[in-house]
Amino acid sequence: MFCAQGVAAVCFTPHLLAATRSPEQLAADVALHRERFTCVQGAVGEKDGFPRLHLGQEILAPGPEDLRRALQIEGVGVDGGQTVLVELGFRPGFDGAAVVAAGRADGRRVILAHPERYAYGDTDPLAAMEEWRGLGASLQVNGGSLLGHHGRGAQDLGTTLCREGIADLVATDHHGEFRPHMPEEILAALEEILPAQAVRDLLVEGPGRVLAVRTP
């Protein structure tokens, strides 16, 4: 389906639960992800028109020690490189600034997954996000949030992030048939609220920088 919609690249980001798993368990998880990714690569082969495939993780790290634990595992990062996708979690109490600082101190480029969906408690979400960006983080909004699949609050906040230029990229966060958020739906939603270049920045240029994909 992605191929039919002209998607140039797909990055698999299976969950890596750094907050609840031991280093040994995390290493086993990363090895299993790599094994299964290799199977997918073999099935796709060199078929014409198929997206380029990449492998990363969505690292659950509400605290800096969680992220440091994950970063010790060989192969962690998009294509085993310096970019890491981090999820702070859905309950208050995470320390986003410390998590970003820990990643940056390790020489990583930190992308925070779906910040529009976090539980901020009494904290101003936009102020928190500006602090994270000031520390060097990039923000990735879920396309499903823009489509209203994660509630009105996430939809409104995600839309604000895109309109105000706070979001750096938009992803499907595709989870199979129970969350089939297709790129063409996300594109249509963004085209209703943003000028063409801003849409391109979120769906083409931003992801392209992460994956080093040449964009037409």
Side-chain angles (χ1 to χ4, degrees):
M1 290 187 290
F2 283 7
C3 179
Q5 293 179 32
V7 173
V10 172
C11 186
F12 296 93
T13 53
H15 290 122
L16 190 65
L17 305 179
T20 62
R21 305 277 280 172
S22 70
E24 294 76 18
Q25 290 171 322
L26 292 173
D29 292 340
V30 171
L32 179 60
H33 297 164
R34 169 58 61 182
E35 177 185 333
R36 293 182 175 178
F37 178 71
T38 301
C39 290
V40 175
Q41 284 183 309
V44 171
E46 299 297 326
K47 295 181 180 179
D48 291 339
F50 265 64
R52 287 173 49 183
L53 303 182
H54 302 264
L55 178 62
Q57 305 83 25
E58 185 174 346
I59 304 169
L60 176 61
E65 289 304 321
D66 302 318
L67 184 56
R68 293 189 188 103
R69 187 179 309 113
L71 296 182
Q72 295 174 5
I73 307 302
E74 183 177 357
V76 165
V78 175
D79 293 331
Q82 296 303 105
T83 299
V84 289
L85 179 67
V86 178
E87 176 182 58
L88 296 177
F90 298 110
R91 287 181 287 184
F94 57 76
D95 191 346
V99 170
V100 173
R104 298 294 292 160
D106 196 66
R108 305 295 183 126
R109 177 187 180 188
V110 178
I111 301 175
L112 292 178
H114 47 68
E116 76 283 359
R117 297 183 61 203
Y118 297 152
Y120 290 90
D122 296 329
T123 301
D124 179 356
L126 294 180
M129 285 185 241
E130 289 292 0
E131 180 181 15
W132 302 338
R133 294 185 88 213
L135 292 169
S138 299
L139 303 183
Q140 176 178 290
V141 168
N142 272 10
S145 294
L146 304 177
L147 298 173
H149 293 294
H150 301 301
R152 184 60 183 269
Q155 184 176 28
D156 289 346
L157 184 52
T159 298
T160 297
L161 298 181
C162 293
R163 279 181 170 158
E164 299 299 321
I166 300 171
D168 295 283
L169 62 157
V170 172
T172 63
D173 201 18
H174 182 76
H175 275 47
E177 293 183 357
F178 79 95
R179 196 189 290 178
H181 305 152
M182 287 292 103
E184 62 182 8
E185 296 178 283
I186 298 167
L187 171 63
L190 286 171
E191 287 178 332
E192 290 184 2
I193 63 172
L194 296 175
Q197 185 56 53
V199 174
R200 181 178 176 85
D201 288 343
L202 291 170
L203 291 183
V204 180
E205 304 294 347
R209 284 190 290 271
V210 174
L211 302 177
V213 176
R214 291 184 179 181
T215 56

